[in-house]
Amino acid sequence: MALAAHESPQWMSPGRAYLQGVRAVGTTVLTLVLFATYLGIGALAHDSRFSLGWVLLSTLLVWAGPAQIILISSLGSGATAVQAAIAVTLSAIRLFPMVVSVLPLIRAPTTKLRQLILPAHFIAVTLWVECFRLLPQVPRERRIPFVIGLGTGLVSVCLVANVIGYLLAANLPQLFGAAILLLTPLAFLLSTARNCREIADVVALGLGLLLFPVVAYFHTGVDVLISGVAAGTIAYGVHRWKARRA
């Protein structure tokens, strides 16, 4: 998607920048992936006997598909609220590096901390991917309203999908529900590969894919964490080595 030039009237006010962010939702294939994923989450909530209002509130407050699946599955299987909260928190830790990497892109020298709270809440994998793709085209002083517009647009799509999935749950085959939930990791993998620009990015992604089957063989329970940290550390070492030689 090509956004308006920095000097365009489209960026004259925060309101217009917000609308640009909302419009950007319709330009990425990840919106369709999210829609399909949240159809499945709505159906899962129905089958787990949660109310429609409950699943909509969880989408607004949790805003992370894997964490919501963990929340619904754990509570639906009889886990206590404390146990479910711990599981969701551990799942959400993976988003912390994304928040750390995106916030410097959207803040300006005059940005106040309170202005970053809502954008930080919206930062999940989809918004993280789209920020790196779109923010270079957005004037820095308009990036916060743009990200808020992008985030609210994505959440709105997911809320609609929740309602549809919840209402169609009685007729949604289990195999179809599992298949649409699989779309999310596949789409994120392809989007991450598309956004690889540095050699370190390619090394991290490639090594992560290669190491995961090896680590998974040992049934550690934290296979993704181990392979991700190992691949990322090696990629960082490659980046430092290349920087010294430059």
Side-chain angles (χ1 to χ4, degrees):
M1 173 188 179
L3 298 176
H6 284 203
E7 63 275 8
S8 169
Q10 295 292 341
W11 304 113
M12 288 181 62
S13 68
R16 290 188 177 186
Y18 174 86
L19 291 177
Q20 286 286 311
V22 174
R23 293 191 188 105
V25 172
T27 66
T28 172
V29 69
L30 293 182
T31 300
L32 297 177
V33 174
L34 275 180
F35 185 84
T37 299
Y38 278 81
L39 278 176
I41 290 176
L44 178 63
H46 177 276
D47 292 343
S48 300
R49 303 186 184 280
F50 290 100
S51 68
L52 178 59
W54 186 93
V55 68
L56 292 177
L57 185 62
S58 74
T59 296
L60 285 172
L61 298 180
V62 178
W63 180 229
Q68 284 179 259
I69 294 172
I70 292 171
L71 178 64
I72 294 170
S73 301
S74 57
L75 291 178
S77 63
T80 65
V82 173
Q83 291 171 328
I86 293 173
V88 170
T89 300
L90 291 175
S91 170
I93 289 175
R94 67 193 170 86
L95 301 177
F96 182 72
M98 299 179 192
V99 175
V100 172
S101 64
V102 169
L103 289 186
L105 296 179
I106 66 176
R107 68 185 308 171
T110 58
T111 301
K112 296 179 174 59
L113 183 60
R114 65 175 181 272
Q115 295 175 287
L116 299 174
I117 294 175
L118 188 55
H121 171 67
F122 284 136
I123 297 173
V125 179
T126 302
L127 192 128
W128 173 70
V129 169
E130 291 305 303
C131 279
F132 277 92
R133 184 172 70 92
L134 297 174
L135 285 184
Q137 305 175 55
V138 180
R140 183 168 288 274
E141 66 274 12
R142 295 291 181 248
R143 289 183 180 181
I144 288 180
F146 178 85
V147 169
I148 293 175
L150 181 61
T152 54
L154 291 171
V155 171
S156 298
V157 168
C158 293
L159 291 174
V160 172
N162 276 160
V163 174
I164 296 174
Y166 191 92
L167 297 178
L168 294 178
N171 301 313
L172 191 66
Q174 289 186 346
L175 182 60
F176 178 74
I180 60 178
L181 290 176
L182 183 62
L183 283 175
T184 302
L186 288 177
F188 291 153
L189 174 62
L190 294 176
S191 298
T192 303
R194 180 191 64 187
N195 287 344
C196 288
R197 295 182 176 88
E198 303 288 340
I199 185 64
D201 301 331
V202 177
V203 171
L205 181 61
L207 280 179
L209 292 174
L210 290 174
L211 288 175
F212 177 75
V214 177
V215 178
Y217 177 79
F218 296 98
H219 304 288
T220 63
V222 286
D223 310 329
V224 175
L225 179 63
I226 293 174
S227 55
V229 170
T233 302
I234 295 172
Y236 178 72
V238 170
H239 170 74
R240 292 293 299 271
W241 174 78
K242 185 181 177 183
R244 288 196 188 99
R245 289 176 59 88

